[in-house]
Structure formats: structure tokens, C-alpha cells
Amino acid sequence: MAEQNLTVRSVAPSGNWDARADSYAGRIGLGNRLMLLVMLVLGVFAGYAVIAAPLPLHWQVLFAVICLLAALLLNRIEGRLVSIGLMALSTLLSARYIYWRLTESMDYSDPRYNWVDITFAFGLIAAELYAFTVLMLGYLQTLWPLQRPPVPMPRDVTTWPTVDVMIPTLNEPVAVLRPTIIAALDMDWPRDRMRVLVLDDGKRDEVASLCHELGAIYVRRPDNRHAKAGNVNHALESSTSEFVAIFDCDHVPTRSFLQVSMGWFLKDRQLSMLQTPHHFFSPDPFERNLGTFKSIPNENELFYGLLQDGNDLWNATFFCGSCAVLRRSALDQIGGVATETVTEDAHTSLRLQRKGWNTAYINLPQAAGRATESLSGHIRQRIRWARGMSQIFRIDNPLFGPGLTLPQRLCYLNSMLYFFFGLPRIVFLTAPLAFLLFDAQIIIASALVFAAYALPHLVHAQMTHSRLQGPYRYSFWAEVYETILCVYIVLPTMLALISPKFGKFNVTAKGTSRDRNYFDRRIALPYIILLTLNVIGFAVGLWDLFTKFGENADSLVLNLLWTCYNIVILSVCTAVAWEQREIRRSVRITAELPARIKLPDGGEMEVRTLDLSEGGVMLRLPRAVNVPLGTRMQVALMPDYQVVWTDADITRSSGEILAMKFAKLTLPQERQLVYAIFGRADAWLHWAERRPPDKVGTAFSKLFSLGLGSAKKAISPSKR
């Protein structure tokens, strides 16, 4: 293996690393934390008077207008303190709404109200209380994202610790596993201080041969107990390294991964785990089926872009199973990776925190993997996560037990409570139907009074979320992601609460393909049923509005608007079930990189890549060159790193554009290609730079057009 250059390439944020690292050593200082605590306490006491103050309707409307104007003015000012102010204002108005709901809109003592009214009413208020709780915990969780920078490694490489890089696998294709092993072996770390172990629970001879070819260590265990957690624990029995880095078999690390991650372990001797983002270079089912890849943040970006950074402030970052480094002595103290739940990663970090260990998060993507490749696979993966978090909530609830600070307990609690959104989401999708179809009185108040309290709560929460989450999740998309999953996670989460041992670990399939477009009717059936009910409810409500001559007109209009919103969300969910044809097994990455080609006349030309994959590359030439199709040429990717010439056949020659298909690669050529696609330190840092900022109106308009497109597909066979 070629000698490596142990130098981190430009991956750090601007500024002096050492100075910034020192400033983050203790996270936000004790004085600032005490100040925040005092502000919160004072805010609670001062806010209660506002929350509980009874106001006539016109004064409530005036109060809401003043608050909205204040929020609009504040929202124009940059700064974290202003964001905290908007959180406080949103909290005040949401709490006022919940107080009003509990004290003035729930009086069912009148015998005119029957059990139908009461059942629907208490179902809705329970869902609203859940949403309010998650909203408040979410504000705490994202109060001040830490934005921790890397700590540079010492210049003396003989002081660097030993690391075992573990790649668990079960049944994934060798083609998926191969680049991960190559990239792991090529990480910038002293060869005598790093080993790459492939943990094969599939017991496959072809994987053993692959490891022998590439120079990795093949590990096979006699059984498959405890799935991935058991696989890692088995490897730990024969591991003697000071640290363990873990990658899922499709998560390809950059060369700089260890240098970016390891510095904090030398700085903080109590640091047990450092997590980096899970970045995905392929579109997930939402992005592929809706055509939103790179133009709209995907489902994972909120968690890895904001929530984990927010957790880091409170020393509550948790392990996500891949793209992370763990201290071996800390794992030994808790008996290895947790095996009692199917989310062994989060449970492991919770146990480490209980023992007094620290955790950390660096928001620099230093590895990239494949997203789930079908909606059904995506749902199965999320069901596992939901069931696992429910299991932890049941058997190792963060609110109880020793070792955690209050903010840690609340951050872990919010991460677990989130996965109970299934039933509340179904309630919100069906609540207006109770009035439209059954004339159920679910709120004892006029529609105008309800709107005067509810709209400020909803508008300010949306505005605050857009400010905080805009770069990572566009407005209204949370409803789409949750609606897709809600009907599927209700039963697993409830059963896990009753019987934590229910269910088993399942592996998300990667590297699959589809040779046709199709509509996944089985997966889409719940959305179709809910959509049909909402359309029926809307039609009935519209009929009543025009035939009853103004009777309950305000309530009808309010519920019709609510139903319209639900129809848009459910239509988009149905659109996601239109699985798009996918025959390319190697994902094509858009990247403008230096390259060099040898021309047929023997000369060389400096060029730039437009995109590249494991199968070929498209180049932009400085001038037009006429090359016949099928001509074999040579190309060198990233020659500034090292010059490796690769044979390739011309598949397209159009002016200044040249497309090439690689011939069979030697191992040195393959290593260079893996470096060019995946291994660069800055490979994924600028992924979403050109994405437009979140705008509430634009986001809803996009959802509306996607839902309309789904309706057109349903009635037009030619569009399928």
C-alpha cells in the first residue's frame, strides 16, 4: 500500500482551530448556562400572568396582532439571542393556547354532549398536549447548537492512539462493501496504529476473499446473536486498540475521518464517543419519487444538521451506529454495545452517559452512504428505530435512574417521545372529520374564539421552526414525513411499551435496483383511505355550507380549511408511493474536480469533471475536441493528489463535453477512483450550498403542486 500523506485537507471551518477548540472545551461556560437558567425561571413566572390572563375576543385578537408584528420585526434580525427570544414568544403563545383549551374549551357537563363528542374531544386534546410537550422539549434541545470544531492532532504521529475500524455486514452486496473497505484502509492514519476489520455475520467466502485481496481483517463469529450489537461485541473480544471506529458497510469514510474525529479524545479524557453526520449521496424515496433531490432538505438533515448539534450543548449527543468513534475503555465499563433493544446505538450512549462519560458531535460530514432505496424499506427502517426508542423508554427510561443531568434527561426523553407521534398524527388527520361527518362538538367554543387562540400558537411555532430549522427542513415537510410513517409505527411502539422483547432487528437493504416505475399500492393503502375520508368530509362540509344558509358557517369554514390542508399532505404522501425506475447500481456524484486526459495524438489536457461514478466520468474540456465514440483513452482523476492513469472508452463526445466509461480497474486505479468520489476531506461539505432558504409560502406551494401531480398520475394512465 502506498505511503500516505498524514495531513488533514481543508475540512475545518474558518478561523484558528486551536483557539476555537479551547473555547469549546467546556461547552458553553457555567456563567452563560446559569444566565440561561435564570432567564428561563424568570420567564416562567412572568409568563404565567400572560398565559392565564382572561381576555375578551377583541383584546385577544389585538394581543395576537401585536405579538405577530413583534415576531416579524425580530425575525428580520440575525443572532442566536433573537432566536431564543422568538422561542420564548412562541412558548408563551402556545402555552396560552393550551391553557385556554384546558380551562375554557373542555366543559362537557351539559347533557346535550354525548360520548361521541367527549371521545373525539379528549382524543384531540391529548394529541395537542403531546405536540406541545415535544415542541417545548425541541426548543430546549436546539436552544444553542454548539457547532464544535475539530481539534488538530499532535504533529508527532508516534503519540497517536491505536484504532480498530469495524465494518459490520450481513447480506449486503460485495459491490456495496468494497469501496467502504478501500476507503477505510486509505484513511490518513499511521499504518501500524490502525486495523480495518470486516465483521461478516453473513459468513460469506466471497467477503473473506475480498478482505484478503484488499488487506482487511476478516472476522466471522459462530452465531448471529444480538444482530449488529452482538457482531461488534464479538469483535471487541479480540480487539486491543484504544479506540473503535464503526461504519455501516455502505458508509464510505473520507481519508480525513480519523484526524477530524480523534483530536477531542486527546483533549477530553472523559470523552467516550464522538459522532459525525450520516450523509447520503443517493436520494431517499422522498427525493427520488418526488424529484426533490438536493433541492429540498431530506428527512435526516434536521437531526444531523441541528438536533445533534443542539444535544451537544447539553452533553447529550447519542451514538447513531455508524460514522462514529468510541473509546474502548468506556465500552468495557458498560459491558460493550447494548443488546437489549434494536436501537443498540442510542442505548449504548445512554449507558455511557449514566456512567459519567461525555459524548460529542462534530457537524462535518466525513463519510457518506446510501439512503434507503424504496418507501417500504424506509418505513421498515423507521419502524425499527421507533420500536427501539420505545423499548429504551420502557426498560431504561432517561427520566429515572442515576447519572444524568436534567438537560440530558430531557434531550433523551424528547428523542424517544418523538417516535410516539403516530397516534397524534392520525388524530390531526381525522379530527375535522368528527365535525364534518358526525357533527361532533370537539371544542366548546366558537370558531372565531378558537382561531384567536390557535392561530397565534400555530403561526409563531411555524415561524420559529422556519428560522431555526430552515436550512435543514423546509416548512410543512415534517407533516409529510410523519404522515408517511404514522399508521405504521403506532402498533410497534405500543407493543414495545407492553412487551419490550417484541420484534427483531432487521437490516435495511442497499444496492438494489428497479427496472420499471410502479405504484406501491400496499404501502399507500392507509394514505389512500385517509385521503378518501378527507375528500368525503370536505364534500359533505361544502354541501352543508351552501345548504344550511350560514348555520355554523364559521365552524364549517375552519374545518374545511383544516381538511384541505390534510388533503394536500396526504396527496403528497400518496405521490411518494409512486416508485421511480432505478437501474443504475453505482450512484453518479456531481463534482467539479481537476482531471487530466491523454489525447489520441499523444498530448495531455487539463480538464474538469462534471460528475463521476464507479462506472464512468463526464468531463468538461477547455476547448472542443472531436473524439470518435468507442475510442479508448486514459484519464487521471485528482492528479494533484497522485497521478493514476485509468483506461476509459468514450461514450459521448459533444463539443467541450466528454463522457467516458471506465475499463476494468486495477486496485490502484480503484483506490484513486474511490478517493476522487468519496475520500476527499471536503467531498460532502458544500452539498447544499446552492439550496434556496426556506420560505413558508414557497414550501406550501411546492407541496400543493406535488399533491396535484399525484392526483394527475392517478387519473392519467399515460403518466404512470
Side-chain angles (χ1 to χ4, degrees), residues 270 272 314-318 330 333-334 338 340 346-359 389 391-406 408-410 412-413 416:
Q270 281 299 110
S272 63
W314 307 112
N315 192 18
T317 298
F318 60 82
Q333 186 178 356
I334 63 169
E340 293 83 358
H347 199 184
T348 297
S349 53
L350 177 60
R351 286 185 167 181
L352 290 169
Q353 297 278 6
R354 288 196 185 279
K355 292 293 184 180
W357 290 95
N358 297 330
T359 60
M389 286 300 197
Q391 288 172 325
I392 300 173
F393 186 82
R394 172 71 166 76
I395 68 175
D396 197 7
N397 194 300
L399 286 180
F400 311 107
L404 300 180
T405 64
L406 179 59
Q408 284 176 325
R409 295 179 193 276
L410 295 178
Y412 275 106
L413 177 67
M416 294 170 193

Side-chain angles (χ1 to χ4, degrees), residues 558-615:
L558 185 65
N559 282 279
L560 285 170
L561 290 173
W562 188 349
T563 304
C564 275
Y565 178 77
N566 287 343
I567 289 172
V568 171
I569 297 299
L570 288 163
S571 297
V572 177
C573 293
T574 305
V576 181
W578 290 93
E579 294 284 8
Q580 300 300 300
R581 182 170 178 254
E582 182 67 63
I583 59 174
R584 186 189 298 276
R585 290 183 180 271
S586 58
V587 179
R588 188 170 292 276
I589 304 297
T590 302
E592 188 176 338
L593 306 172
R596 191 181 302 163
I597 58 173
K598 287 185 178 180
L599 299 170
D601 61 8
E604 293 186 11
M605 180 183 288
E606 301 290 336
V607 298
R608 305 288 292 182
T609 67
L610 292 176
D611 58 49
L612 66 163
S613 71
E614 294 171 67

Side-chain angles (χ1 to χ4, degrees), residues 106-123:
M106 296 292 294
D107 183 8
Y108 286 90
S109 57
D110 193 313
R112 291 178 300 172
Y113 300 119
N114 56 41
W115 66 270
V116 175
D117 299 318
I118 296 172
T119 300
F120 282 122
F122 278 88

